[in-house]
Amino acid sequence: FAIILALSGSRVVLVDGDLRKGLLHRRFGLESTPGFNEVLLEQTDWRKAVQPTPTANLSLLPRGNTSRNPGEMFLSATSSRLIKELSAEFDYVILDTAPVMAADDVTSLSPQVEGVLFVIRANHTSARVARAALDLLYQREVSVLGLVFNGVETNAAEYYYYRYKDYYHDEAGEKKGEG
């Protein structure tokens, strides 16, 4: 999502908010420190920790060193000040966090943001766990902007398009609605 926004010309900062196991720096081939953890501990300025990525207009604030108590750190004045400062500098601030049910980090951080995109991984997240996680966010009066359903195997019988492929194609195999 952050890459798509950046490719559209928006200035985007992706923040690795999973201070226990965050690995976004590896996906971009960058160093993990200094990072978000050090910024929250006021050991470094965020401007020194944010790194450009190979994608134009996309910067990364990596995880930094791992932390045992990020939920407490997210409740600090430093956390809310950082989000405001990043919002003033970038068009979009995307925080990638640990799963809601894995730790209380997200429910501590989420009231400080404008909204949450809730991600569910197909064949991994149960409906019961997803519902419980959404309930936690709603209890904190978080604005859930939408749902991202990823990891769908498009060749699986459960995939909507696969099951209704004849609806979208005519007998010749061409998409309906094409001239």
Side-chain angles (χ1 to χ4, degrees), residues 25-158:
H25 62 281
R26 288 187 188 168
R27 294 187 185 207
F28 291 100
L30 301 172
E31 296 296 320
S32 67
T33 57
F36 193 32
N37 184 51
E38 290 74 26
V39 172
L40 292 176
L41 292 172
E42 298 182 340
Q43 295 173 347
T44 192
D45 184 70
W46 67 264
R47 290 167 190 83
K48 293 179 182 175
V50 170
Q51 302 174 39
T53 70
T55 303
N57 300 317
L58 178 62
S59 298
L60 175 70
L61 178 55
R63 172 198 74 214
N65 290 316
T66 57
S67 175
R68 293 185 192 153
N69 59 346
E72 295 171 20
M73 292 168 45
F74 291 155
L75 293 171
S76 72
T78 303
S79 177
S80 59
R81 185 175 62 247
L82 172 64
I83 291 170
K84 287 177 186 168
E85 289 178 13
L86 290 172
S87 297
E89 187 74 24
F90 294 91
D91 298 320
Y92 293 97
V93 178
I94 310 272
L95 288 110
D96 184 48
T97 64
V100 174
M101 299 302 285
D104 65 347
D105 307 354
V106 179
T107 54
S108 297
L109 183 61
S110 57
Q112 299 178 43
V113 300
E114 290 183 36
V116 171
L117 285 175
F118 191 79
V119 179
I120 296 176
R121 190 173 355 152
N123 300 318
H124 189 275
T125 309
S126 73
R128 181 183 53 78
V129 169
R131 181 76 245 173
L134 280 169
D135 287 343
L136 281 174
L137 293 173
Y138 290 138
Q139 287 172 7
R140 299 280 174 108
E141 298 180 1
V142 172
S143 176
V144 177
L145 302 174
L147 176 84
V148 176
F149 191 61
N150 70 6
V152 176
E153 295 181 31
T154 57
N155 60 352
E158 294 83 19

